[in-house]
Amino acid sequence: MSRSPMRRTAAAVAAGALVLGGATVSVGLGTGVASAQTACAQSSHAEKGPNLETWGVKHSYDRSVNVTEAASGSQVTYKTIVSTSGIGNPYVNTLVDTPPAGFGAPVSAKLTVFHAIGGLKTVDVPAIPDGNSFKFTHTGWFVNSGNPLTLETTYVVPSAAAGTAITSGGFKVAGTVGVDNNMPNLTACFTMRAPNPGEATLGSLDSAGLGSEEGQLSSTGSVSDILGDTIANVINSGAIEGLIS
């Protein structure tokens, strides 16, 4: 059963009120999954060619993460683009994405690539475990100067101390026409932050089985639902307007 926008908003307000009122539920930040760095670059770039190996074509590889900061339990998305310039079109058959140390499997993986019918399309692709990395394979994805290949992988951020720089692993590409490249330094970095009051409270309720639809406190609903319904009822009754009018 899905929550209405009013209930979801009211639940978030209630969570913030609990924190501001002193009824906090702490969220433990465990051992950092990566050491802090003096520089935390959100994106990186690599090139190959043009040379004889690439048949005179320049291959470009770009990797980035969609946020500069993230809290434990949130999601981050890494975008890796394989593109070319000049005459020539490689077929890519393997991509290997390495997330930061301590990350689990991606919760989502999408590939945007050229299709003979329909042009560029975005499709879900299965992630195959490959050591500490995740591999994506195909008989051959077409790439040329007007049609880059873009892989987007989304991961849940594990616990780490606020301020820790989280740097991804590198990226590998295999295929034809010299596109093959192993790039351990094609990385992307973001910094851990503490969860905001709403994230901390609702996240703790979820971990205790009280904040989700499945974790019901009683037949009347979860804690966040009860708080949300209470505030929503007060708003709908006009009591707040009476207090401020």
Side-chain angles (χ1 to χ4, degrees):
M1 178 177 64
S2 61
R3 303 178 186 174
S4 67
M6 175 65 77
R7 290 178 66 190
R8 292 177 62 86
T9 301
V13 172
L18 278 174
V19 174
L20 294 176
T24 58
V25 184
S26 63
V27 175
L29 293 176
T31 303
V33 298
S35 60
Q37 300 179 349
T38 55
C40 184
Q42 191 177 358
S43 62
S44 59
H45 174 82
E47 295 180 355
K48 183 179 181 181
N51 53 36
L52 291 177
E53 179 190 356
T54 66
W55 291 18
V57 177
K58 183 174 78 172
H59 300 278
S60 298
Y61 313 86
D62 292 276
R63 186 157 163 81
S64 62
V65 63
N66 66 325
V67 295
T68 57
E69 294 184 330
S72 299
S74 62
Q75 295 184 359
V76 296
T77 298
Y78 294 91
K79 177 186 290 187
T80 307
I81 301 173
V82 179
S83 59
T84 67
S85 61
I87 300 174
N89 56 279
Y91 281 84
V92 174
N93 58 38
T94 304
L95 303 168
V96 181
D97 179 82
T98 304
F103 277 47
V107 297
S108 171
K110 296 182 180 296
L111 186 76
T112 301
V113 69
F114 178 83
H115 291 74
I117 300 176
L120 285 174
K121 293 182 181 179
T122 300
V123 296
D124 294 323
V125 286
I128 304 169
D130 184 39
N132 297 324
S133 306
F134 295 93
K135 182 166 59 175
F136 307 87
T137 62
H138 191 263
T139 54
W141 292 299
F142 176 88
V143 179
N144 68 6
S145 59
N147 296 285
L149 175 154
T150 302
L151 176 68
E152 295 179 276
T153 48
T154 300
Y155 297 88
V156 175
V157 180
S159 295
T164 302
I166 306 297
T167 303
S168 76
F171 200 81
K172 295 179 183 179
V173 180
T176 62
V177 199
V179 73
D180 295 45
N181 211 341
N182 179 13
M183 299 162 284
N185 295 321
L186 192 70
T187 61
C189 177
F190 67 89
T191 303
M192 292 296 297
R193 63 168 173 81
N196 60 44
E199 289 172 331
T201 303
L202 293 178
S204 296
L205 292 174
D206 283 340
S207 65
L210 300 175
S212 65
E213 293 294 343
E214 293 77 13
Q216 298 291 310
L217 178 66
S218 68
S219 61
T220 58
S222 67
V223 169
S224 58
D225 281 345
I226 293 170
L227 292 171
D229 285 341
T230 300
I231 292 180
N233 288 336
V234 171
I235 294 173
N236 290 334
S237 69
I240 290 181
E241 292 182 5
L243 289 174
I244 63 177
S245 62

